[in-house]
Amino acid sequence: MQVPARIGGRPVSADDWIEVLSPFDGSPVARVPALGAEHVAEAVAAASAALARGDFPQYRRAEVLERAAELLAERTEEFAVTIAREAGKPIRDARAETLRCVDTLRFSAVEGRRLGGEVIPMDASASGVGRLGFALRHPVGVVAAISPFNFPLNLVAHKLGPAIAAGCPVVLKPAELTPVSAIRLVDLLVEAGLPADWISVVTGTGPDAGTPLVAHPVPALITFTGSVAVGRRIQDTAPRKRVLLELGSNAPVIVEPDADLDRVVAQVRQGGFSYAGQSCISTQRVLAHVDIYDKLRHELKNAIGTLRVGDPLDKDTEVGPLISAAAADRVETWLAQARAAGAEVTGGRRDGTTITPAIVADPPRDLDVYRQEVFGPVVTVTPYTNLAEAIGLANDSDFGLQAGVFTADIGVALRAARELEFGGVLINQVPTFRADQQPYGGLRDAGNTREGPAYAVHEMTELRFVMVSA
């Protein structure tokens, strides 16, 4: 099945095509055109023209987002199957992602309705007496959006929804491994009333399509979700642009001795291994108090044995494949390094692109499986003796996206909230939880912005001060 890209409201093909294959069994899903710099320039020109027309007012933008949410809610299964096929995401998780995307569009519509400015109290100073001051929010300009493979629908919506609400046309470069969901979402937005040339989708590789998009002088803002290395390279390439980055993590969770261990095990079982751990906030580092370390480690080892691994289109599958053979190679290598270093590794057997869930007990702190983002079905378990040590272990990371704490002590919870250096601290919840309306983002190598429609809309607008003198 050939799926054309979109530029300026028209379908676009190319001489060369990218084969989109199932990560599970390599079966063909679709073919999309391999576009390059000339297509990017055409897409940016179309977005600039759409912005210059100024014929897509705020109320209509909100109506489009509201209608798109309604249409998507009616087609949940269709979109979920697309996600499962191209991303290898278990169908139960793909359905959940589609429903989250409905919410993201709805929250974006709300922001489209209420986007406004503010009144400035001019007479708060002697020089301002007799003057009226106010600030208006204006679209920042054309937005360049680059999205990752792991949430090929909802993370695209987290870029497109706020941009539409803010009044910014978009050039979207989806991940070449999972472009079909993004194209179909844009088709749905157009069906809902979006001007056909408002969003262009340029399919292609990072070097051929992504790099020219970042380097193009017109986009005023770049929003990127992906690896730390690519994100930092984008910052360096576009120093004069507003660059919004959502990057990596090796999310920790602290388990105090008074925690409900049944609850902890159930949540880590889900948060550490759903979608084979391919989430920025997948639970990766479990920090367990020495009083409960052995018990928790034992129960987690038992829990991973109950996870159903296999075909993502099977309704009972909980853990599907890694996105590619290269990704499976990396995870397999890191697990081998842990074994060679003397860490106890339970699970982690490979079959093609699938790796069974693995628990790594107390690995050396310098190993990749502990320090880096695994992005695979792997959880490490590390003992600590007191809360100060646990917080120190959690903070000892290049990342700072989200952290979790399980405790029955409100004092411990409040101390952790103060001292954990993360964009989000979740009490009695694994760090894998995300509500689409929350301010989501991190510190250090986790990124530099906050997503969630209310926060992204502000990033995509600029304040313009107006003063009226009598």
Side-chain angles (χ1 to χ4, degrees):
M1 175 182 64
Q2 290 190 349
V3 180
R6 299 184 63 103
I7 295 180
R10 63 181 180 84
V12 174
S13 298
D15 293 334
D16 297 319
W17 293 77
I18 295 171
E19 299 287 342
V20 181
L21 304 176
S22 163
F24 178 65
D25 58 13
S27 61
V29 175
R31 302 174 75 221
V32 298
L35 303 186
E38 69 279 10
H39 300 102
V40 169
E42 186 180 352
V44 172
S48 297
L51 180 66
R53 283 200 314 268
D55 61 352
F56 192 27
Q58 185 172 345
Y59 81 92
R60 282 189 55 211
R61 302 196 301 263
E63 287 178 347
V64 165
L65 290 164
E66 289 162 354
R67 178 58 180 153
E70 293 172 358
L71 291 173
L72 184 57
E74 295 168 359
R75 302 174 192 174
T76 299
E77 192 65 14
E78 171 192 337
F79 276 83
V81 169
T82 299
I83 293 168
R85 293 190 66 213
E86 70 173 346
K89 181 171 289 190
I91 189 66
R92 59 173 66 186
D93 296 329
R95 289 171 181 143
E97 179 179 347
T98 306
L99 292 175
R100 285 183 58 190
C101 186
V102 172
D103 276 350
T104 300
L105 295 173
R106 285 174 175 157
F107 286 123
S108 297
V110 169
E111 298 310 317
R113 290 285 186 194
R114 71 179 186 178
L115 181 64
E118 55 189 278
V119 175
I120 310 301
M122 297 304 297
D123 59 357
S125 65
S127 62
V129 172
R131 293 174 170 84
L132 173 65
F134 53 95
L136 302 176
R137 287 206 168 268
H138 281 254
V140 71
V142 172
V143 167
I146 303 175
S147 59
F149 76 82
N150 59 330
F151 285 84
L153 185 68
N154 194 37
L155 289 186
V156 171
H158 268 286
K159 300 182 185 306
L160 301 188
I164 293 168
C168 299
V170 182
V171 178
L172 169 67
K173 208 298 277 186
E176 59 261 36
L177 295 172
T178 57
V180 181
S181 298
I183 294 170
R184 288 186 170 163
L185 177 60
V186 174
D187 288 344
L188 182 140
L189 285 162
V190 171
E191 182 182 345
L194 184 78
D197 60 350
W198 195 263
I199 299 175
S200 291
V201 185
V202 289
T203 52
T205 65
D208 290 340
T211 298
L213 179 58
V214 168
H216 198 286
V218 168
L221 181 147
I222 300 168
T223 172
F224 170 81
T225 302
S227 72
V228 175
V230 174
R232 296 308 183 201
R233 191 158 63 243
I234 289 172
Q235 272 187 319
D236 293 341
T237 304
R240 297 182 181 179
K241 297 183 181 184
R242 194 177 298 183
V243 179
L244 312 181
L245 301 176
E246 289 290 352
L247 305 176
S249 180
N250 56 1
V253 58
I254 295 171
V255 185
E256 281 282 270
D258 60 356
D260 180 343
L261 291 192
D262 289 341
R263 181 177 180 181
V264 172
V265 170
Q267 288 200 22
V268 172
R269 182 185 183 278
Q270 172 70 19
F273 302 103
S274 60
Y275 190 36
Q278 296 173 114
S279 166
C280 291
I281 45 177
S282 180
T283 302
Q284 182 175 326
R285 295 185 293 149
V286 175
L287 308 175
H289 191 277
V290 290
D291 290 350
I292 56 158
Y293 170 74
D294 287 334
K295 179 176 175 59
L296 180 57
R297 178 171 53 107
H298 176 74
E299 292 189 7
L300 286 173
K301 287 163 61 175
N302 288 339
I304 65 170
T306 68
L307 285 161
R308 177 76 173 266
V309 181
D311 185 348
L313 289 172
D314 185 329
K315 65 180 178 60
D316 294 323
T317 294
E318 298 171 277
V319 180
L322 277 296
I323 191 64
S324 66
D329 288 344
R330 177 183 51 76
V331 174
E332 185 178 39
T333 297
W334 287 6
L335 288 173
Q337 290 171 349
R339 292 187 185 96
E344 178 191 80
V345 178
T346 303
R349 297 181 306 279
R350 181 174 177 181
D351 180 9
T353 53
T354 299
I355 293 179
T356 61
I359 297 291
V360 182
D362 198 16
R365 310 292 184 267
D366 61 342
L367 287 185
D368 287 336
V369 77
Y370 180 86
R371 293 214 66 84
Q372 302 303 316
E373 181 177 46
V374 174
F375 233 58
V378 178
V379 169
T380 65
V381 188
T382 301
Y384 69 87
T385 57
N386 56 59
L387 183 61
E389 182 187 3
I391 291 172
L393 286 170
N395 287 340
D396 180 23
S397 172
D398 292 334
F399 308 104
L401 187 46
Q402 292 199 153
V405 181
F406 282 87
T407 180
D409 187 330
I410 188 63
V412 168
L414 293 175
R415 178 182 173 185
R418 288 193 305 269
E419 297 183 15
L420 284 168
E421 298 165 358
F422 291 79
V425 177
L426 284 59
I427 309 301
N428 291 323
Q429 180 72 53
V430 289
T432 316
F433 177 86
R434 177 184 180 180
D436 291 291
Q437 71 272 30
Q438 76 177 74
Y440 174 80
L443 311 174
R444 304 183 295 282
D445 278 349
N448 66 354
T449 187
R450 294 295 179 272
E451 285 191 345
Y455 308 93
V457 163
H458 279 205
E459 296 270 27
M460 295 178 179
T461 56
E462 55 190 7
L463 280 174
R464 184 172 301 172
F465 174 66
V466 180
M467 188 182 74
V468 179
S469 298

